Amino acid sequence: MSLSARIAWDDTVLPFQLDASDIRGRVARLDGVLEQVLSQHDYPPMIEGLVAEMALLTALIGQTVKLRWKLSLQVRGSGPVRLIATDYYGPTEDGQPARIRAYASYDADTLDEQADPFSQIGNGYFAILIDQGEGMTPYQGITPIAGGSLSACAGTYFAQSEQLPTRFALTYGQSTQPGKATHWRAGGVMLQHMPKASPHVTGEGGSGEEGLLDATDILTDDEGENWNRANALLDTVEEIELIGPTVTPTDLLVRLFHEETPRVFDAQPVKFGCSCSEDKVKQSLSIYSAKDIGTMVTDEGTVTADCQFCGAHYVFSPDVLGFEAKDASA
């Protein structure tokens, strides 16, 4: 495959459908996006890997949100990894790229970098939030941390909250292509059974961890056969095929699912992007009184704020902050 073809598929999400199986899916490749997300911070390798996995999940899940919508994924835990947060901003116009940002909060003193990364999250929850815009009530769904990986948590969320059997196959890491500087790269496939008007759910609980629903609890026998066949095919995928760049997403789909009649749709480009601004920082501080603002003043007589996502540094005069600001437009 030519260099230009490889670049064309970097930082894209390709939706597809398996017509013979009643299953839809997406193939994602993140290159420059992931490098920019991680370059904003000095994370240890374990945290970089967790953020990379979360960013890839966000790209795969976020592709379905409508123009100008915002999708957020959050993992909050009781362990050293306290928070992983990502945002996916739907394109502002058709044909425009979506934007992704991500960051993690962790306790460096208690982080065990020799342990399984997922174990450092501890107990907690996995959440998906969708903001449809001004005047609309945001959607929020929450499920417990379960399954041994962030991708398993996402699959559990869709089975439990949406009753949609969902499977992720992901890989990510440092790319060492000849002639290029070492950089982060990720790729993955998401499979999801088409939604039904009346999901087939029996019993009081599910067969998954801690009684959570699993795909087998939702599907009928015929649907289950299709689902198991597609998953068996996905089990044959190799990491180098997922991450690229020598195998295009279209070639990958033909290799994996040619008997399932794959049909592809328009690819969605994605890029790194942050929505922070001076106005948004000032708005977030508008709930505080002048006295409260006074406790935030530095030795230099200013109030500072840093964006956790992109590292932007903002400096304000305390007079322009809070609901008692003398000149809120300054």
Side-chain angles (χ1 to χ4, degrees):
M1 184 173 57
S2 69
L3 175 61
S4 60
R6 291 202 300 266
I7 293 173
W9 287 111
D10 284 349
D11 298 326
T12 62
V13 183
L14 177 69
F16 66 89
Q17 185 169 309
L18 304 181
D19 288 340
S21 306
D22 207 23
I23 289 171
R24 63 187 177 187
R26 286 144 233 160
V27 181
R29 296 270 172 82
L30 298 185
D31 184 86
V33 169
L34 191 54
E35 185 68 17
Q36 284 186 274
V37 164
L38 295 174
S39 67
Q40 311 300 319
H41 308 274
D42 186 21
Y43 293 138
M46 172 184 287
I47 301 300
E48 285 187 317
L50 289 171
V51 173
E53 183 177 4
M54 195 75 156
L56 185 55
L57 286 171
T58 304
L60 287 163
I61 296 170
Q63 188 273 331
T64 59
V65 303
K66 297 183 179 180
L67 294 178
R68 294 176 291 278
W69 285 17
K70 173 186 171 185
L71 176 137
S72 301
L73 268 59
Q74 286 188 9
V75 165
R76 290 189 179 271
S78 60
V81 180
R82 296 181 294 233
L83 171 68
I84 309 172
T86 63
D87 289 327
Y88 178 104
Y89 295 90
T92 54
E93 302 291 342
D94 283 321
Q96 295 299 307
R99 294 174 292 139
I100 292 178
R101 64 179 190 172
Y103 86 96
S105 173
Y106 63 98
D107 183 353
D109 293 334
T110 58
L111 188 70
D112 182 358
E113 296 191 51
Q114 305 305 312
D116 172 65
F118 185 78
S119 72
Q120 299 298 284
I121 299 172
N123 297 320
Y125 66 80
F126 177 95
I128 290 183
L129 304 91
I130 299 177
D131 184 351
Q132 302 177 35
E134 188 174 350
M136 301 294 290
T137 302
Y139 165 84
Q140 177 175 290
I142 295 176
T143 51
I145 295 293
S149 68
L150 293 175
S151 59
C153 287
T156 297
Y157 164 83
F158 279 107
Q160 190 72 26
S161 296
E162 307 293 333
Q163 296 191 353
L164 291 175
T166 305
R167 160 85 185 279
F168 297 90
L170 312 179
T171 189
Y172 43 88
Q174 294 274 15
S175 174
T176 54
Q177 293 172 248
K180 290 188 68 175
T182 300
H183 66 288
W184 276 89
R185 188 174 177 86
V189 175
M190 173 182 177
L191 293 181
Q192 191 168 67
H193 199 280
M194 295 291 218
K196 297 169 293 190
S198 301
H200 175 70
V201 181
T202 60
E204 289 293 324
S207 58
E209 186 176 328
E210 299 182 2
L212 295 169
L213 289 176
D214 185 74
T216 56
D217 304 316
I218 302 169
L219 298 170
T220 64
D221 291 342
D222 288 344
E223 293 166 340
E225 183 178 340
N226 288 338
W227 179 250
N228 291 336
R229 186 174 66 251
N231 275 268
L233 293 171
L234 184 55
D235 286 339
T236 68
V237 74
E238 299 178 2
E239 287 193 351
I240 191 63
E241 293 179 301
L242 288 174
I243 207 166
T246 57
V247 179
T248 68
T250 48
D251 288 345
L252 175 60
L253 292 175
V254 171
R255 208 283 289 169
L256 290 174
F257 303 118
H258 63 277
E259 294 182 358
E260 305 302 308
T261 321
R263 178 158 47 109
V264 299
F265 304 94
D266 291 339
Q268 172 63 62
V270 292
K271 67 177 184 178
F272 173 77
C274 193
S275 64
C276 71
S277 67
E278 285 193 6
D279 287 343
K280 288 185 177 181
V281 175
K282 290 168 70 174
Q283 184 179 4
S284 70
L285 296 173
S286 64
I287 62 173
Y288 297 103
S289 67
K291 181 179 179 181
D292 294 329
I293 295 296
T295 66
M296 308 176 192
V297 175
T298 66
D299 292 341
E300 290 74 28
T302 61
V303 176
T304 64
D306 296 318
C307 177
Q308 294 170 304
F309 287 97
C310 72
H313 182 67
Y314 297 99
V315 180
F316 302 95
S317 165
D319 293 340
V320 305
L321 300 176
F323 60 80
E324 299 173 275
K326 294 180 181 178
D327 183 7
S329 63

